């Protein structure tokens, strides 16, 4: 192994996914020299194996579903999707798993990229083992930001490695649809991939350990999404766990806890994520390898004054957009500390990620879509708020009827009865993903119900659901 001399930067970022890129963007904008270390592709999980490819797979599925609910168009779209064309478009959105464009962007902000495996080697020090074995030592004058993300968690089943199961990576990058696919899990990845591959020609069996899907959302969200999956042809089995998995002559055989034997061509485990921190040198700075990194609201790792953990690794909100938000906050906090300017760390200040606690939005791109921000009714009650849930059906909104015949969907807002503001909003129905930002603004801005009454929704749009919700609340 060849060792080079140590190179000093103001900031060193471990991980060049969207989160690491945004940290670098903010620190470079503040005039701080910045190095970024990446062991795979610049652009990270989101660009190549998660957000972008999954939504590219799902967009034609959802568009066809919408079209099939419109007289005059429905008959023209009754045939199957062109799976090859969908996969080709997905490949385009991943840049065929090449990161030239993302590297050019990093070059454009004058951040230095080091390819290889980066590990902490004590405070403010990172060693990078390059593809050719060359060892480079980077020292950070001010901060190291860990943005290494997560990887799929697989269950502890004997012989699972020999089965070669799919994780989210294989599910979003496969170049052909398996004839039969078992999906294990009930969360976002499981429901989205069941939606996509069923529409692309696979016979999908969804095995859910709990009582229903999307159990972190309001119960009606999971119920409506499960109904949509069943109507699309997915075999949804709740209360079911996998006891064993084998691959026999190329065929996957899963045996459930009830003794059912299910055969498929592939099996996808979408059963959670673990932090990508097991081999990044945490032990050299007194932290536990493989652990989630606990941070304060400036994203500074607790017990340090130089180490930041941004995005999935801090376990605050495992969502790309929330990680990018944290990255902007962390970059600004690092710059403020370097410049010795006042740290604006009161709630909703420029240097704290307050939204992580109150206004985290999420969209599940199934058919129907499910979108939520803030607290569910149960979460709000557990947090000690005196709240009231207000529910309306989208059938009460003229825009829903125009959007699709037989439009089915529901909306809920959770109202804090003492502060008269919203604590949470959930929408379920076709097209509702584009509604959720209005709810995010209302919650993050703590907009009083009395003022929301004056936010007039355009007619006839789905946004008129806001008027129906407020009318139902006022009585």
């Amino acid at each position: 192994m060849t060792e080079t001399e140590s190179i000093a930067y103001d900031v060193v970022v471990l991980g060049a996914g969207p989160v690491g890129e945004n940290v670098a963007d903010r620190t470079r904008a503040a005039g701080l020299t910045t190095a970024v270390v990446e062991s795979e592709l610049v652009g990270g999980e989101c660009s190549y194996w998660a957000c972008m490819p999954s939504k590219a797979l799902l967009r034609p599925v959802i568009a066809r579903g919408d079209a099939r609910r419109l007289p005059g168009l429905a008959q023209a779209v009754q045939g199957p999707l062109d799976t090859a064309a969908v996969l080709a478009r997905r490949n385009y959105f991943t840049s065929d798993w090449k990161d030239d464009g993302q590297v050019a962007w990093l070059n454009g902000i004058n951040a230095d990229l080091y390819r290889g495996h980066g590990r902490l080697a004590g405070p403010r020090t990172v060693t990078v083992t390059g593809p050719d074995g060359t060892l480079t030592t980077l020292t950070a004058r001010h901060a190291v930001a860990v943005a290494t993300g997560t990887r799929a968690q697989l269950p502890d089943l004997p012989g699972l490695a020999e089965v070669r199961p799919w994780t989210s990576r294989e599910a979003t990058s496969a170049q052909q649809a398996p004839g039969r696919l078992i999906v294990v899990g009930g969360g976002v990845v499981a429901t989205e991939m069941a939606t996509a591959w069923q529409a692309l020609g696979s016979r999908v069996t969804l095995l859910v350990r709990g009582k229903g899907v999307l159990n972190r959302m309001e119960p009606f969200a999971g119920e409506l999404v499960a109904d949509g999956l069943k109507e699309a042809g997915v075999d949804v089995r709740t209360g079911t766990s996998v006891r064993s998995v084998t691959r026999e002559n190329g065929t996957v055989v899963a045996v459930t806890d009830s003794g059912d034997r299910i055969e498929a061509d592939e099996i996808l485990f979408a059963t959670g994520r673990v932090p990508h921190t097991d081999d990044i040198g945490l032990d050299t700075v007194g932290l536990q390898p493989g652990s989630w990194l606990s941070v304060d609201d400036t994203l500074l790792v607790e017990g340090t004054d130089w180490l930041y953990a941004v995005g999935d690794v801090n376990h605050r909100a495992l969502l790309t957009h929330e990680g990018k938000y944290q990255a902007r906050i962390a970059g600004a906090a690092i710059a403020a500390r370097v410049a010795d300017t006042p740290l604006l760390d009161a709630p909703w200040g420029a240097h704290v990620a307050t939204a992580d606690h109150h206004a985290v939005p999420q969209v599940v791109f199934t058919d129907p879509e499910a979108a939520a921000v803030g607290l569910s009714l149960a979460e709000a009650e557990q947090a000690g708020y005196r709240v009231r849930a207000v529910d309306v059906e989208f059938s009460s909104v003229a825009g829903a009827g125009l959007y699709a015949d037989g439009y089915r969907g529901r909306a809920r807002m959770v109202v804090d009865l003492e502060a008269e503001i919203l604590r949470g909003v959930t929408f379920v129905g076709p097209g509702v993903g584009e509604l959720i930002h209005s709810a995010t603004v209302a919650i993050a801005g703590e907009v009083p119900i009395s003022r929301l009454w004056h936010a007039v929704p355009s007619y006839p749009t789905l946004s008129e659901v806001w008027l129906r919700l407020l009318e139902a609340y006022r009585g």
Side-chain angles (χ1 to χ4, degrees):
M1 182 180 292
T2 304
E3 185 169 357
T4 65
E5 62 182 339
S6 177
I7 306 171
Y9 289 88
D10 292 323
V11 179
V12 177
V13 181
L14 275 180
V19 176
E21 288 176 324
N22 272 267
V23 174
D25 185 46
R26 292 297 84 210
T27 56
R28 285 298 302 128
L32 302 177
T33 58
T34 303
V36 181
V37 182
E38 176 54 53
S39 61
E40 293 188 288
L41 297 176
V42 175
E45 199 80 12
C46 174
S47 299
Y48 306 103
W49 301 286
C51 317
M52 293 304 290
S54 65
K55 277 51 184 183
L57 290 174
L58 286 158
R59 179 61 198 140
V61 178
I62 294 170
R64 184 182 66 168
D66 285 345
R68 285 180 168 179
R69 290 184 279 266
L70 286 174
L73 182 57
Q75 293 305 313
V77 291
Q78 287 305 311
L81 291 170
D82 184 338
T83 299
V86 174
L87 297 179
R89 185 172 185 266
R90 183 274 318 274
N91 293 352
Y92 168 79
F93 275 98
T94 63
S95 302
D96 289 310
W97 291 272
K98 298 175 183 176
D99 63 2
D100 299 21
Q102 304 259 17
V103 171
W105 180 86
L106 270 184
N107 291 337
I109 65 169
N110 293 317
D112 290 348
L113 172 65
Y114 290 83
R115 290 193 183 273
H117 183 70
R119 299 182 83 255
L120 292 165
R124 296 184 175 86
T125 304
V126 172
T127 58
V128 184
T129 305
D132 61 356
T134 299
L135 185 67
T136 303
T137 300
L138 308 176
T139 58
R141 299 184 187 95
H142 302 291
V144 174
V146 176
T148 49
T150 59
R151 65 178 183 274
Q153 182 179 39
L154 289 171
D156 185 17
L157 290 173
L160 186 59
E162 288 71 35
V163 174
R164 302 181 306 282
W166 279 11
T167 66
S168 53
R169 283 198 167 195
E170 289 77 18
T172 55
S173 63
Q175 294 298 322
Q176 61 183 20
R180 301 161 298 171
L181 173 66
I182 298 169
V183 179
V184 182
V188 177
V189 172
T191 53
E192 287 189 347
M193 290 299 93
T195 299
W197 289 110
Q198 179 72 29
L200 291 169
S202 301
R203 294 206 316 274
V204 176
T205 302
L206 179 64
L207 305 181
V208 185
R209 183 173 58 185
K211 296 180 180 179
V213 302
L214 303 179
N215 60 12
R216 294 187 179 181
M217 287 185 159
E218 299 283 11
F220 68 82
E223 292 166 5
L224 289 170
V225 168
D227 288 346
L229 288 167
K230 292 171 186 175
E231 290 171 9
V234 175
D235 180 2
V236 180
R237 306 187 191 185
T238 58
T240 302
S241 296
V242 175
R243 189 173 66 198
S244 67
V245 182
T246 55
R247 191 181 284 270
E248 303 170 6
N249 299 318
T251 298
V252 173
V253 178
V255 178
T256 71
D257 51 359
S258 61
D260 289 340
R261 176 186 167 98
I262 307 169
E263 295 187 354
D265 299 287
E266 301 292 350
I267 184 167
L268 162 63
F269 282 94
T271 49
R273 310 286 297 179
V274 293
H276 225 316
T277 60
D278 52 317
D279 189 22
I280 61 168
L282 292 184
D283 54 310
T284 70
V285 294
L287 297 171
Q288 180 65 41
S291 65
W292 302 101
L293 298 177
S294 183
V295 297
D296 66 15
D297 277 356
T298 69
L299 291 311
L300 190 66
V301 174
E302 294 176 353
T304 78
D305 62 0
W306 60 274
L307 184 62
Y308 293 74
V310 192
D312 285 7
V313 291
N314 61 40
H315 209 230
R316 286 163 67 107
L318 276 64
L319 297 160
T320 294
H321 48 271
E322 207 69 17
K324 291 166 69 174
Y325 160 71
Q326 292 174 10
R328 295 189 294 270
I329 297 296
I334 291 168
R337 286 180 168 124
V338 171
D340 199 25
T341 56
L343 200 67
L344 304 178
D345 57 359
W348 305 108
H351 303 131
V352 287
T354 309
D356 286 352
H357 307 298
H358 303 287
V360 176
Q362 182 173 25
V363 179
V364 185
F365 291 86
T366 46
D367 186 14
E369 293 176 349
V373 61
L375 303 177
S376 67
L377 174 62
E379 289 170 338
E381 290 175 338
Q382 289 167 7
Y385 294 111
R386 190 168 67 88
V387 292
R388 173 186 161 196
V390 180
D391 295 335
V392 299
E393 300 293 326
F394 268 96
S395 57
S396 65
V397 178
L402 289 168
Y403 191 97
D405 281 10
Y407 187 108
R408 285 187 296 164
R410 188 179 304 172
R412 167 174 287 181
M413 66 180 189
V414 178
V415 181
D416 184 324
L417 296 174
E418 294 178 0
E420 281 265 297
I421 59 175
L422 302 182
R423 294 295 177 187
V425 176
T426 299
F427 300 126
V428 184
V432 299
E434 298 299 335
L435 289 181
I436 201 61
H437 191 60
S438 57
T440 305
V441 171
I443 293 173
E446 298 182 345
V447 181
I449 292 286
S450 59
R451 181 58 62 87
L452 281 176
W453 186 253
H454 296 282
V456 182
S458 297
Y459 180 87
T461 67
L462 290 174
S463 291
E464 274 204 306
V465 74
W466 280 108
L467 179 56
R468 302 284 91 86
L469 285 166
L470 293 167
E471 288 173 337
Y473 175 68
R474 288 195 161 191

